[in-house]
Amino acid sequence: MAFSGGIRLTDLNDYITPGQECIKPVKANKSGQQADGSTIRVGQEGDYYEVTKDGEETKLEKASITLNDCLACSGCVTSAETVLITMQSHHELLSVLDENRQLHESGNGEKVKYVVVTVAPQVVASLSLKYQLSPLSVAKRMTSTLKAMGVSQVVDSAFSRDLTLAESAREFVERFRKSEGKLHGEQSGALPMLASWCPGWVCYAEKTHAEVLPWMSTTKSPQQAMGSVVKDYLAKKLQLTPDRIYHVAVMMCYDKKLEA
């Protein structure tokens, strides 16, 4: 099963060392005691052996886990996640802002990137709870801080969430009409319609429950929708090419890096 179009993994080594744990669901006996009374012994070199009641030992094969097994649960930090975290971190933003300052100082303002930061409401709510401030106060402080750092515009992803909800409603109505044979005589509407803004859930469904794919909504998540708005609508309004706009999304979960 291939990754969805919103997931991009490049230059990766998906080898997981024995010291790293993955929470991919597997049937395991935590006590080490098997149903038939046999036990598991760990050898001096880290190999596993099944020992029967009669004392007979059988070497067990090591389980191999690759990106095809990964459900994007963030239960482990593999080299793949390390690359994603490195490529999409606050260091990248600081580097762009520093480059903008250098371009301004050298008189090359036409090469400066227009930096847009999208903030998720969940981030504001978390900081509000952490520092015992009102959500409005946190939003204002974040906006002023980011703009003082050199960010051009700060937007709330609640706007793109509304766009996503409207598009999801339109998609559901179209599917419903197809299922009832009321749209161009078609009867191919897949219902119920399953929707999620979590790339981890999408990845899980693609890899473990391919049978539900026809029922999954094709509507973009709020983060992806905002990316389209910023790179298309805003770019045209500001008369800038999309590559001149640097879009940053401050989201609530590491899994969001999979669709960045």
Side-chain angles (χ1 to χ4, degrees), residues 5 34 37-38 65 85 96 111 124 126-127 129 140 143-144 156 165 177 195 204 231 241 244:
Q34 306 301 305
S38 61
I65 302 174
I85 293 173
V96 171
K111 297 182 180 180
V124 175
S126 296
L127 293 175
L129 179 62
K140 288 182 176 180
T143 300
S144 61
D156 189 342
L165 287 172
R177 288 178 174 174
Y204 172 77
K231 290 286 189 174
T241 57
R244 286 283 308 281

Short mmCIF file of all heavy atoms in Angstrom, two decimals, residues 5 34 37-38 65 85 96 111 124 126-127 129 140 143-144 156 165 177 195 204 231 241 244:
data_model
loop_
_atom_site.label_atom_id
_atom_site.label_comp_id
_atom_site.label_asym_id
_atom_site.label_seq_id
_atom_site.Cartn_x
_atom_site.Cartn_y
_atom_site.Cartn_z
N GLY A 5 -1.12 10.92 -1.04
CA GLY A 5 -0.46 12.00 -1.75
C GLY A 5 0.03 13.10 -0.84
O GLY A 5 0.90 13.88 -1.20
N GLN A 34 4.42 -19.34 27.63
CA GLN A 34 3.55 -19.66 26.52
C GLN A 34 2.41 -20.56 26.95
O GLN A 34 2.43 -21.16 28.03
CB GLN A 34 4.36 -20.33 25.40
CG GLN A 34 5.58 -19.52 24.95
CD GLN A 34 5.20 -18.14 24.45
OE1 GLN A 34 4.38 -18.00 23.57
NE2 GLN A 34 5.80 -17.11 25.03
N GLY A 37 3.29 -24.02 27.98
CA GLY A 37 4.21 -24.16 29.08
C GLY A 37 5.64 -23.81 28.75
O GLY A 37 6.51 -23.81 29.64
N SER A 38 5.96 -23.51 27.49
CA SER A 38 7.32 -23.16 27.11
C SER A 38 7.63 -21.73 27.53
O SER A 38 6.74 -20.94 27.81
CB SER A 38 7.51 -23.32 25.61
OG SER A 38 6.63 -22.45 24.90
N ILE A 65 10.77 -4.66 10.97
CA ILE A 65 9.79 -3.59 10.86
C ILE A 65 10.33 -2.53 9.91
O ILE A 65 11.45 -2.05 10.06
CB ILE A 65 9.50 -2.94 12.23
CG1 ILE A 65 8.99 -3.98 13.22
CG2 ILE A 65 8.50 -1.81 12.10
CD1 ILE A 65 8.81 -3.46 14.62
N ILE A 85 11.63 15.70 11.54
CA ILE A 85 11.74 16.71 12.60
C ILE A 85 12.83 17.72 12.25
O ILE A 85 12.68 18.92 12.50
CB ILE A 85 12.05 16.03 13.94
CG1 ILE A 85 10.85 15.20 14.39
CG2 ILE A 85 12.39 17.07 15.01
CD1 ILE A 85 11.10 14.35 15.62
N VAL A 96 15.28 31.07 7.83
CA VAL A 96 14.64 31.89 6.79
C VAL A 96 14.53 33.34 7.25
O VAL A 96 14.79 34.28 6.48
CB VAL A 96 13.25 31.33 6.45
CG1 VAL A 96 12.48 32.30 5.55
CG2 VAL A 96 13.38 29.98 5.77
N LYS A 111 14.16 39.79 -3.00
CA LYS A 111 14.36 38.35 -2.80
C LYS A 111 13.86 37.87 -1.45
O LYS A 111 13.92 36.67 -1.16
CB LYS A 111 15.84 38.01 -2.94
CG LYS A 111 16.42 38.29 -4.33
CD LYS A 111 17.88 37.88 -4.39
CE LYS A 111 18.47 38.16 -5.77
NZ LYS A 111 19.90 37.76 -5.85
N VAL A 124 -3.01 27.20 20.82
CA VAL A 124 -3.36 28.35 21.67
C VAL A 124 -4.00 27.87 22.97
O VAL A 124 -3.68 28.35 24.06
CB VAL A 124 -4.31 29.31 20.93
CG1 VAL A 124 -4.76 30.44 21.85
CG2 VAL A 124 -3.63 29.89 19.69
N SER A 126 -3.60 24.98 24.49
CA SER A 126 -2.60 24.32 25.33
C SER A 126 -1.74 25.33 26.07
O SER A 126 -1.47 25.19 27.27
CB SER A 126 -1.71 23.40 24.47
OG SER A 126 -2.46 22.35 23.91
N LEU A 127 -1.29 26.36 25.35
CA LEU A 127 -0.47 27.40 25.99
C LEU A 127 -1.31 28.20 27.00
O LEU A 127 -0.79 28.62 28.04
CB LEU A 127 0.10 28.35 24.94
CG LEU A 127 1.15 27.72 24.00
CD1 LEU A 127 1.55 28.72 22.91
CD2 LEU A 127 2.37 27.27 24.78
N LEU A 129 -3.71 27.02 28.86
CA LEU A 129 -3.81 26.20 30.07
C LEU A 129 -2.48 26.16 30.81
O LEU A 129 -2.43 26.25 32.04
CB LEU A 129 -4.25 24.79 29.70
CG LEU A 129 -4.38 23.79 30.86
CD1 LEU A 129 -5.45 24.25 31.84
CD2 LEU A 129 -4.69 22.40 30.33
N LYS A 140 -2.74 36.93 21.05
CA LYS A 140 -2.14 38.25 20.83
C LYS A 140 -0.63 38.22 21.09
O LYS A 140 0.15 38.81 20.33
CB LYS A 140 -2.80 39.28 21.74
CG LYS A 140 -4.22 39.65 21.33
CD LYS A 140 -4.79 40.72 22.25
CE LYS A 140 -6.18 41.17 21.79
NZ LYS A 140 -6.73 42.22 22.69
N THR A 143 1.15 36.37 18.27
CA THR A 143 1.18 37.18 17.05
C THR A 143 2.24 38.28 17.15
O THR A 143 3.04 38.48 16.22
CB THR A 143 -0.20 37.81 16.80
OG1 THR A 143 -1.17 36.78 16.64
CG2 THR A 143 -0.17 38.66 15.54
N SER A 144 2.26 38.99 18.27
CA SER A 144 3.23 40.08 18.43
C SER A 144 4.66 39.55 18.46
O SER A 144 5.57 40.16 17.89
CB SER A 144 2.93 40.86 19.71
OG SER A 144 3.02 40.04 20.86
N ASP A 156 -5.09 32.17 11.77
CA ASP A 156 -5.68 31.11 12.58
C ASP A 156 -6.20 30.01 11.65
O ASP A 156 -6.93 30.30 10.69
CB ASP A 156 -6.82 31.70 13.42
CG ASP A 156 -7.35 30.71 14.45
OD1 ASP A 156 -7.10 29.51 14.32
OD2 ASP A 156 -8.03 31.16 15.39
N LEU A 165 -14.83 22.11 6.45
CA LEU A 165 -16.17 21.63 6.83
C LEU A 165 -17.17 21.85 5.69
O LEU A 165 -18.01 20.99 5.40
CB LEU A 165 -16.64 22.36 8.09
CG LEU A 165 -15.96 21.95 9.39
CD1 LEU A 165 -16.38 22.87 10.53
CD2 LEU A 165 -16.29 20.50 9.74
N ARG A 177 -26.32 11.89 -3.08
CA ARG A 177 -27.13 11.94 -4.30
C ARG A 177 -26.76 10.81 -5.25
O ARG A 177 -27.62 10.23 -5.91
CB ARG A 177 -26.94 13.30 -4.98
CG ARG A 177 -27.62 14.45 -4.25
CD ARG A 177 -27.37 15.77 -4.95
NE ARG A 177 -28.12 16.85 -4.32
CZ ARG A 177 -28.02 18.13 -4.65
NH1 ARG A 177 -27.17 18.48 -5.62
NH2 ARG A 177 -28.73 19.05 -4.04
N ALA A 195 -14.21 10.53 7.59
CA ALA A 195 -13.34 11.70 7.46
C ALA A 195 -12.48 11.87 8.70
O ALA A 195 -12.91 11.59 9.81
CB ALA A 195 -14.19 12.96 7.24
N TYR A 204 -2.87 4.92 8.97
CA TYR A 204 -3.31 3.66 9.59
C TYR A 204 -4.34 2.96 8.71
O TYR A 204 -4.27 1.75 8.48
CB TYR A 204 -3.90 3.95 10.97
CG TYR A 204 -4.57 2.77 11.62
CD1 TYR A 204 -3.81 1.76 12.22
CD2 TYR A 204 -5.95 2.66 11.64
CE1 TYR A 204 -4.42 0.66 12.82
CE2 TYR A 204 -6.57 1.56 12.23
CZ TYR A 204 -5.79 0.58 12.82
OH TYR A 204 -6.41 -0.51 13.40
N LYS A 231 -0.59 29.69 -0.71
CA LYS A 231 0.26 29.59 -1.89
C LYS A 231 -0.45 30.00 -3.18
O LYS A 231 0.20 30.32 -4.18
CB LYS A 231 0.77 28.16 -2.03
CG LYS A 231 1.79 27.75 -0.98
CD LYS A 231 3.14 28.40 -1.24
CE LYS A 231 4.21 27.82 -0.34
NZ LYS A 231 5.57 28.34 -0.68
N THR A 241 5.04 35.19 -6.55
CA THR A 241 5.05 33.80 -7.00
C THR A 241 5.01 32.91 -5.75
O THR A 241 5.49 33.31 -4.68
CB THR A 241 6.33 33.50 -7.80
OG1 THR A 241 7.48 33.81 -7.00
CG2 THR A 241 6.35 34.32 -9.08
N ARG A 244 7.91 32.55 -3.39
CA ARG A 244 8.30 33.70 -2.58
C ARG A 244 7.59 33.71 -1.23
O ARG A 244 7.91 34.53 -0.37
CB ARG A 244 7.96 35.00 -3.33
CG ARG A 244 8.89 35.34 -4.49
CD ARG A 244 10.22 35.90 -4.01
NE ARG A 244 10.05 37.01 -3.10
CZ ARG A 244 9.75 38.28 -3.46
NH1 ARG A 244 9.54 38.56 -4.74
NH2 ARG A 244 9.65 39.22 -2.56
#
